[in-house]
Amino acid sequence: MSLLTIGINHNTASVQLREKVAFSPDKMSDALQQLHSMPAVSGSVILSTCNRTELYVEVDAQASNDIIHWLIDFHQVNEEDIKPSLYTHTNEEATKHLMRVACGLDSLVLGEPQILGQVKQAYAQARENEAVQGNLDKLFQKAFSVAKRVRTETEIGSSAVSVAYAACTLAKHIFESLRHSRVLLVGAGETIELVAKHLSDNGCRQMTVANRTKERASGLAEQFDAQVISLSQIPTALVNADIVISSTASPLPIIGKGMVESALKSRRNKPILFIDIAVPRDIESEVSELNDAYLYTVDDLQSIIDQNIEQRRAEAVQAEKIIAIESKEFQNWLRSRKAVESIRDYRHASDTVRKELLSKSLQALSSGGDPEKVLLELSNKLTNKLIHAPTKALQEAAEKGELEDLAVLRKSLGLEDL
């Protein structure tokens, strides 16, 4: 059996094409059961995200075309459309690929951590459908441990590479803990929602959402137990805010220098961190002139992001080295498994011969045969039976001039080197 990966991702296909072969949650169980029921397949896991669809299977060596045709038939897609975008990896390359995926090295955003959770979910679904076992099961367990090692031994996931995450990271660096920080979020769009999630994940429990329409803000606030105010209430809210993060579509600034100056006086000059990730800007640039107001714009964050991307690339080099070592170790384990199977088969075959000849010898003795002759015949026949296959292999290797094979056979039989 061989380990096989067949997939399509953001590097090989457009989102329109990827959508055609994505597995929806309601079809995943049926897909796993169909795939696992194929005669050549002994184990399968399906990973399907917005950026990739990948089939990880343990199959007979020549079954890749059958798996590809199954994928095409399941989604009823045109073969000519999909085939050029598919990639295939076998054995060690399949092992490396899964490890790279789990570590975020094959992601659209290098080092992003969400993919590991998605791989674990795919594995769990395969387990629920009894579709993964044996070597494939061991491969996924190994991939999880490798991802943990990469996260522990490198800094690939520690640097912010999105505006929302960078904003949260900046706040976390300035304030030792976000648990007691009071945050004012201006806007209720997708970026602010991501900011709120990152803040919540980092312990922030005191958030207020200011938005033009309270209805949109209410839906966001409910997710994070936040308060909701209107834009006109911002001047009052600033007095209690330690951090202000703004991202709206307003064509004009919402927070001005005078508004901030007044709030700082009421706070007795206790500083406020302002992060403006809107374009055009939500916060007047003159705010940065105030002594206790610290203003960062989207350009400042982009500079941080660019530096962090370079840092992640540097960390990825170390991660690749870890994967190379771990992949080779897993392949060595697979080869050792084959040796164990061969040893078991060889012992079974030898024991079958022994039992057969012993039974005949015992029958001869019970019939009054000469014990010495019976034992001599047993030893001769047992020796001849056991050396027949090795002798034939030695002869064939010598006749064909296969000196390396001959040397291996001699070594396995305990003979001196040639």
Side-chain angles (χ1 to χ4, degrees):
M1 303 296 284
S2 299
L3 295 173
L4 171 68
T5 301
I6 294 173
I8 184 172
N9 67 16
H10 57 279
N11 291 318
T12 67
S14 65
V15 64
Q16 291 82 4
L17 189 55
R18 298 199 303 273
E19 286 174 343
K20 292 181 179 180
V21 291
F23 290 86
S24 58
D26 60 314
K27 292 185 178 180
M28 185 61 78
S29 291
D30 183 40
L32 283 166
Q33 290 167 15
Q34 283 189 33
L35 186 55
H36 191 60
S37 67
M38 295 176 67
V41 176
S42 63
S44 56
V45 175
I46 299 175
L47 174 63
S48 187
T49 73
C50 58
N51 285 327
R52 70 180 66 243
T53 290
E54 293 180 336
L55 311 177
Y56 294 89
V57 288
E58 188 173 8
V59 294
D60 291 337
Q62 305 301 320
S64 61
N65 284 334
D66 293 338
I67 305 298
I68 291 172
H69 287 141
W70 173 84
L71 177 66
I72 291 169
D73 291 342
F74 187 90
H75 290 290
Q76 295 295 296
V77 292
N78 190 295
E79 184 173 345
E80 286 71 27
D81 291 341
I82 200 73
K83 262 197 167 183
S85 298
L86 291 174
Y87 48 83
T88 303
H89 303 298
T90 58
N91 297 325
E92 186 166 3
E93 287 305 312
T95 299
K96 282 184 179 179
H97 181 75
L98 175 59
M99 291 179 180
R100 294 187 76 253
V101 169
C103 293
L105 297 182
D106 195 56
S107 295
L108 182 61
V109 178
L110 181 65
E112 58 95 1
Q114 289 83 3
I115 186 63
L116 178 59
Q118 292 168 330
V119 174
K120 287 183 175 180
Q121 183 180 8
Y123 169 75
Q125 288 175 314
R127 287 289 299 267
E128 289 173 8
N129 286 274
E130 300 181 346
V132 61
Q133 56 192 358
N135 292 337
L136 189 62
D137 182 84
K138 295 293 184 183
L139 171 59
F140 272 81
Q141 294 293 339
K142 184 69 169 178
F144 299 148
S145 69
V146 171
K148 182 179 180 181
R149 181 183 171 188
V150 166
R151 294 285 165 182
T152 301
E153 297 183 18
T154 75
E155 298 294 326
I156 193 167
S158 63
S159 305
V161 291
S162 72
V163 170
Y165 189 43
C168 177
T169 302
L170 178 60
K172 191 169 63 173
H173 283 170
I174 294 175
F175 293 83
E176 186 174 341
S177 171
L178 297 180
R179 186 167 294 278
H180 303 294
S181 299
R182 291 170 294 186
V183 180
L184 172 61
L185 301 174
V186 183
E190 184 178 339
T191 300
I192 286 294
E193 185 174 356
L194 286 172
V195 169
K197 184 181 185 307
H198 290 311
L199 289 170
S200 178
D201 290 344
N202 282 275
C204 183
R205 296 294 177 266
Q206 300 180 70
M207 286 185 271
T208 299
V209 181
N211 196 50
R212 184 174 56 84
T213 59
K214 284 192 175 183
E215 292 78 12
R216 176 70 182 91
S218 296
L220 173 62
E222 286 177 6
Q223 298 180 50
F224 305 102
D225 195 25
Q227 294 182 327
V228 177
I229 63 173
S230 64
L231 295 182
S232 62
Q233 293 175 287
I234 288 178
T236 303
L238 281 177
V239 176
N240 296 314
D242 302 308
I243 302 167
V244 178
I245 303 176
S246 186
S247 178
T248 75
S250 174
L252 297 172
I254 294 172
I255 299 174
K257 181 181 179 182
M259 186 190 300
V260 175
E261 191 170 19
S262 177
L264 287 172
K265 286 180 181 179
S266 298
R267 289 171 61 85
R268 296 183 179 181
N269 295 318
K270 186 179 178 182
I272 305 175
L273 169 65
F274 291 90
I275 303 175
D276 186 355
I277 49 182
V279 179
R281 296 181 186 183
D282 282 340
I283 303 171
E284 287 184 349
S285 59
E286 289 80 8
V287 167
S288 63
E289 298 171 4
L290 299 173
N291 287 335
D292 297 305
Y294 300 91
L295 175 61
Y296 291 83
T297 68
V298 69
D299 289 340
D300 298 320
L301 294 183
Q302 191 58 53
S303 176
I304 294 171
I305 290 168
D306 290 342
Q307 292 174 10
N308 290 345
I309 287 173
E310 288 304 313
Q311 182 181 343
R312 284 197 177 193
R313 285 174 180 158
E315 294 297 323
V317 174
Q318 180 60 28
E320 295 283 10
K321 291 179 181 178
I322 292 172
I323 288 173
I325 293 170
E326 295 281 6
S327 175
K328 191 170 291 294
E329 181 181 297
F330 185 75
Q331 291 303 310
N332 289 339
W333 177 82
L334 284 179
R335 283 190 283 270
S336 71
R337 289 279 298 171
K338 292 179 180 179
V340 169
E341 293 172 3
S342 297
I343 291 169
R344 184 180 62 243
D345 292 344
Y346 182 61
R347 285 184 176 275
H348 177 72
S350 299
D351 196 48
T352 299
V353 170
R354 178 190 65 81
K355 288 178 179 178
E356 179 187 341
L357 294 177
L358 178 60
S359 176
K360 290 181 179 179
S361 297
L362 291 173
Q363 289 178 6
L365 288 172
S366 64
S367 299
D370 184 346
E372 185 174 347
K373 288 183 178 180
V374 170
L375 287 174
L376 181 61
E377 183 178 6
L378 172 62
S379 64
N380 288 335
K381 287 185 176 181
L382 184 59
T383 300
N384 290 334
K385 284 272 190 179
L386 293 179
I387 70 171
H388 174 72
T391 299
K392 186 177 180 181
L394 285 167
Q395 288 175 337
E396 290 179 354
E399 289 171 359
K400 295 177 181 178
E402 297 171 344
L403 298 183
E404 289 185 7
D405 290 348
L406 187 59
V408 170
L409 288 166
R410 287 179 61 85
K411 184 178 181 180
S412 66
L413 295 170
L415 305 175
E416 295 180 2
D417 292 338
L418 289 172

